[in-house]
């Protein structure tokens, strides 16, 4: 019955009509099939985490998380250091400086947050079937339904399936969003651990109707005088620029990771020591497209895009890729040290409205993990381009970590050296009204990281300094520009966890900045405080928590968002930020079930501030959300 349920769920993925209602009905059916028999949380089936890069690695086991966590938080504010456009499912941008990545990067990153975990590889091992169902409902018909199931057919063969759907009508006209994600995976190891594979198929799709920001913020500014519950003149009825603009994304990924162990196998243990040949292959298809049938010429002229009333703005960005990794691995017996050497050979086909380009890249790499020198552990890797795209580029990183003063202090030091071409979209792009062909130089980034962790004091301090040259960004005309000068960026973060009886206090503060000449917008300060009461009740049967979360960043000139190209555009005039964002919540867990009620953005009532993180895109108003997450295993 369980297998039939998930097969039916898979078929429903391609059906958009009444999918939510049918899925909820199947959820009730699942409750009847699996039952409510629960055991203590420390008996929950174990999860093993691995990576697409090396399925042959030892399986470091950890329990499925059943402790009371931040389930009540569903990602519409800035606590993850991202900028929000005010509705789950819209585009996102980072509030901290991100170094460029080596290799082929499509450049389509603004919707990445919506399918977070899409490329993640988690290998599960269970002795009994395990299912997790969660449902969240919030303001403006926000709904998030997530279901996950895993089972070992035998100790070495696992099947896992997951499905997620979310959506909201949004607080403004033409701001609705919908997203879906499905993944199916299977892992297997032979009895003597001579051969194993990990196979995963993932799909993510969704759309966002783009309001393009509020047409005139004069009414919005008058919110301070009107009050948050004024139904006649508040900002919810302000006109928007776009009446029919919409952005779509559609992603497919098929990955298989295999290994073959050379030499004699030890059937008495699953410890993967010895020599391995590892082969990883994945193919993916990414589609992003935009259409505006009734464009407003005044709005687009602000980006230096000239249109008339008869124009239809359209853009399509398609990527197809085949990525192949082959390497030899040597895992030293009775020692955690692992050495890898291999080659990546990849091919991509990029298509837009005007042309199609075939891109290939080949590079070689070497790495070693957990090389120990007394109390110091060293991890390092180096990748060098050989031919094709990024043939003159390289990437190297070194990480040193050590425990000092009787393991009371953990110290980490890292260096990253990267030379790479910018995202491919910044090199070649063609839409109906905006196009470019750029011959940019390689971007060079050197990062230096240092952190101290005092676990017994609940204290951590981390810092990062970056030196960047040939930085690429989007200008006010929506087109990429390369900044010829070099600049520096720095970041310092301090976090403290304090416990006084049943009361918990989490403090976090981040200070960052860039050189004055850099075309990078960052808030200098980001502060987070979480105060909550947590204890066990009813003879330890219930874990209970209530508390308040506070988040705020300093005022700064944040980047504009341009729906036409799904990019964040540099500007230095309009300031946002410097408002308190507050949530009050009550949450509880009884065995495998968690629930919450969350009162979000109560600062709107208390402070009546213009709570924007992106110009012309206010965050969600005050509202109440609730959710339930339930683990089933017996």
């Amino acid at each position: 019955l369980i297998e039939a349920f998930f097969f039916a769920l898979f078929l429903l993925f391609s059906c958009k009509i009444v999918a939510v209602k049918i899925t909820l009905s199947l959820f009730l059916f699942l409750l009847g099939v699996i039952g409510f028999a629960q055991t203590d949380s420390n008996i929950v089936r174990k999860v093993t985490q691995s990576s697409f890069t090396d399925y042959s690695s030892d399986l470091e086991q950890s329990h499925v998380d059943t402790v009371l966590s931040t389930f009540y938080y569903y990602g519409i504010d800035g606590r993850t250091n991202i900028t929000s456009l005010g509705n789950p499912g819209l585009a996102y941008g980072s509030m901290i400086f991100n170094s460029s990545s080596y290799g082929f990067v499509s450049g389509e990153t603004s919707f990445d947050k919506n399918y977070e975990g899409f490329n993640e590889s988690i290998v599960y091992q269970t002795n009994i079937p395990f299912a997790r169902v969660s449902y969240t409902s919030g303001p403006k018909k926000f709904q998030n339904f997530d279901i996950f199931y895993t089972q070992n057919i035998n100790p070495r063969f696992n099947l896992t399936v997951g499905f997620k759907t979310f959506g909201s009508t949004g607080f403004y006209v033409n701001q609705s969003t919908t997203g879906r994600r499905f993944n199916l995976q299977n892992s297997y190891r032979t009895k003597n651990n001579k051969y194993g594979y990990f196979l995963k198929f993932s799909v993510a799709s969704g759309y966002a109707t783009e309001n393009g920001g509020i047409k005139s913020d004069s009414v919005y500014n008058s919110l301070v005088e009107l009050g948050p519950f004024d139904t006649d003149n508040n900002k919810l009825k302000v006109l928007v620029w776009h009446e029919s603009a919409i952005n779509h994304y559609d992603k497919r990924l098929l990955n298989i990771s295999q290994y073959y162990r050379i030499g004699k196998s030890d059937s008495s243990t699953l410890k993967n020591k010895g020599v391995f040949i590892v082969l990883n292959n994945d193919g993916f298809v990414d589609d992003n497209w935009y259409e505006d049938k009734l464009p407003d010429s005044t709005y687009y002229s602000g980006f230096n895009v000239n249109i008339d009333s008869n124009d239809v703005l359209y853009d399509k960005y398609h990527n197809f890729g085949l990525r192949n990794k082959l390497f030899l691995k040597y895992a030293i017996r009775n020692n955690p040290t692992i050495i890898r050497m291999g080659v990546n050979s990849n091919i991509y086909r990029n298509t837009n409205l005007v042309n199609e380009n075939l891109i290939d890249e080949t590079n070689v790499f070497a790495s070693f993990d957990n090389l120990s020198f007394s109390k110091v552990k060293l991890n390092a890797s180096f990748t060098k381009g050989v031919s094709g795209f990024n043939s003159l580029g390289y990437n190297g990183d070194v990480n040193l970590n050590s425990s000092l003063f009787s393991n009371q202090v953990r110290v980490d030091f890292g260096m990253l050296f990267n030379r790479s071409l910018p995202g491919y979209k910044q090199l070649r792009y063609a839409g109906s009204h905006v196009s470019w062909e750029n011959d940019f130089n390689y971007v060079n980034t050197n990062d230096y990281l240092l952190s101290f962790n005092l676990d017994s004091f609940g204290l951590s301090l981390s810092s990062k300094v970056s030196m960047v040259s040939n930085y690429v960004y989007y200008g006010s005309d929506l087109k990429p520009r390369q900044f010829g000068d070099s600049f520096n960026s720095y970041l310092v973060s301090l976090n403290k966890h304090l416990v006084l009886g049943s009361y918990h206090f989490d403090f976090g503060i981040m200070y960052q900045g860039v050189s004055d000449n850099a075309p990078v917008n960052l808030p200098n300060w980001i502060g987070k405080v979480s105060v909550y009461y947590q204890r066990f009740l009813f003879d330890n049967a219930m874990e209970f928590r209530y508390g308040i979360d506070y988040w705020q960043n300093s005022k700064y000139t944040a980047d504009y968002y341009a729906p036409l190209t799904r990019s964040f555009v540099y500007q230095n005039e309009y300031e946002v930020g410097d408002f308190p964002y507050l949530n009050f919540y009550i949450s509880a867990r009884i065995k495998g079930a968690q629930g919450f009620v969350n009162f979000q953005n109560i600062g709107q009532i208390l402070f009546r501030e213009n709570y924007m993180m992106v110009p012309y895109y206010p965050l969600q108003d005050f509202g109440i959300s609730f959710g339930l997450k339930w683990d089933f295993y017996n």
Side-chain angles (χ1 to χ4, degrees), residues 501-526:
S502 297
Y503 291 91
H504 296 251
F505 302 85
D506 286 328
F507 304 94
I509 189 166
M510 178 185 297
Y511 180 72
Q512 62 182 343
V514 296
S515 304
D516 291 339
N517 61 334
V520 178
N521 287 321
L522 299 174
N524 289 127
W525 294 94
I526 300 176

Side-chain angles (χ1 to χ4, degrees), residues 11 67 122 233 289 295 299 320 359 373 462 516 584 622 624:
L11 294 179
V67 299
I122 301 179
N233 300 295
W289 66 99
Y299 171 76
F320 169 77
I359 307 107
F373 302 94
S462 61
D516 291 339
F584 173 76
F622 168 78
I624 300 174

Side-chain angles (χ1 to χ4, degrees), residues 426-488:
Q426 296 174 321
L427 298 174
R428 310 283 181 267
Y429 176 81
S432 60
H433 284 70
V434 180
S435 302
W436 57 78
E437 289 277 338
N438 293 316
D439 187 21
F440 286 148
N441 294 323
Y442 279 73
V443 181
N444 296 284
T445 306
N446 297 334
D447 294 338
Y448 301 90
L449 304 94
L450 180 65
S451 67
F452 299 89
N453 292 275
L454 291 79
D455 295 334
S456 58
F457 293 94
L459 183 68
S460 65
L461 174 66
S462 61
S463 61
K464 175 184 175 182
V465 176
S466 300
M467 293 177 285
V468 187
S469 61
N470 294 330
Y471 177 69
V472 176
Y473 65 101
Y474 288 97
S476 59
D477 58 356
L478 303 186
K479 296 181 179 181
R481 299 176 182 176
Q482 186 156 50
F483 185 65
D485 294 338
S486 300
F487 67 88
N488 298 328

Side-chain angles (χ1 to χ4, degrees), residues 39 43-45 125-130 150-152 633-634:
T39 57
I43 309 297
V44 175
R45 296 306 92 194
Q125 295 282 4
T126 65
N127 294 327
I128 56 176
F130 178 88
T150 182
Q151 179 178 1
N152 268 59
Y633 45 93
N634 55 19

Side-chain angles (χ1 to χ4, degrees), residues 511-545:
Y511 180 72
Q512 62 182 343
V514 296
S515 304
D516 291 339
N517 61 334
V520 178
N521 287 321
L522 299 174
N524 289 127
W525 294 94
I526 300 176
K528 296 179 263 188
V529 178
S530 179
V531 180
Y532 59 93
Y533 174 89
Q534 182 171 339
R535 61 173 295 185
F536 285 90
L537 303 175
F538 307 116
D539 230 4
N540 291 331
M542 173 190 285
E543 187 180 7
F544 176 75
R545 180 196 292 183

Side-chain angles (χ1 to χ4, degrees), residues 45-254:
R45 296 306 92 194
K46 291 190 175 181
V47 178
T48 57
Q49 297 192 21
S50 184
S51 164
F52 280 159
T53 57
D54 189 4
Y55 176 56
S56 68
S57 297
D58 289 339
L59 301 179
E60 182 179 350
Q61 295 188 329
S62 60
H63 288 96
V64 173
D65 176 23
T66 59
V67 299
L68 192 61
S69 61
T70 54
F71 169 58
Y72 63 89
Y73 160 61
Y74 58 87
I76 60 167
D77 57 39
R79 280 176 289 182
T80 54
N81 298 323
I82 49 89
T83 55
S84 170
L85 270 66
N87 198 44
L90 287 172
Y92 291 83
S94 177
M95 297 183 72
I96 62 176
F97 178 77
N98 291 323
S99 303
S100 59
S101 300
Y102 171 77
F104 179 87
V105 179
S106 72
E108 287 284 353
T109 59
S110 295
F111 285 94
D112 284 357
K113 190 74 177 175
N114 299 326
Y115 36 83
E116 197 170 42
F118 179 80
N119 293 306
E120 186 178 36
S121 170
I122 301 179
V123 184
Y124 296 94
Q125 295 282 4
T126 65
N127 294 327
I128 56 176
F130 178 88
R132 169 171 286 176
V133 179
S134 62
Y135 175 76
T136 304
S137 181
K140 298 301 174 182
K141 299 181 181 179
F142 173 79
Q143 294 187 79
N144 185 341
F145 179 77
D146 198 344
I147 189 166
F148 162 81
Y149 179 80
T150 182
Q151 179 178 1
N152 268 59
I153 307 303
N154 63 48
R156 294 169 285 105
F157 188 92
N158 175 270
L159 287 173
T160 299
V161 65
F163 175 76
K164 177 179 180 178
T165 180
F166 67 89
S168 172
T169 58
F171 274 74
Y172 305 98
V173 181
N174 305 324
Q175 199 191 35
S176 62
T177 54
T178 293
R180 294 166 298 274
R181 188 176 68 215
F182 170 81
N183 69 276
L184 176 68
Q185 69 180 55
N186 163 230
S187 60
Y188 172 75
R189 296 172 186 262
T190 58
K191 188 174 182 179
N192 60 6
N193 206 29
K194 189 84 170 179
Y195 171 79
Y197 71 80
F198 175 84
L199 176 68
K200 181 176 180 179
F201 172 67
S202 300
V203 179
S205 62
Y207 70 83
T209 55
E210 300 283 4
N211 68 3
I214 297 175
K215 180 171 285 191
S216 172
D217 65 351
S218 59
V219 177
Y220 175 67
N221 287 335
S222 66
L223 176 66
V224 177
E225 291 79 33
L226 293 173
F229 297 107
D230 189 313
T231 57
D232 295 324
N233 300 295
N234 67 26
K235 65 182 182 302
L236 300 182
K237 295 182 180 180
V238 178
L239 296 176
V240 295
W241 289 108
H242 297 328
E243 297 180 9
S244 61
I246 187 169
N247 256 311
H248 293 264
Y249 59 85
D250 196 337
K251 297 172 68 72
R252 303 281 192 275
L253 172 70
L254 178 64

Side-chain angles (χ1 to χ4, degrees), residues 280-320:
N280 295 318
N281 309 95
D282 66 60
F284 69 89
V285 176
D286 289 350
D287 281 295
N288 297 269
W289 66 99
Y290 171 87
E291 185 174 11
D292 190 355
K293 296 179 180 178
L294 299 171
D296 189 309
S297 59
T298 304
Y299 171 76
Y300 286 103
S301 64
F303 293 109
N304 296 316
V305 177
N306 298 316
I307 61 173
D308 59 44
S309 58
N310 298 320
D311 281 346
V312 174
L313 276 76
Y314 187 73
D315 133 79
K316 185 173 183 179
Y317 195 80
H318 171 85
N319 269 311
F320 169 77

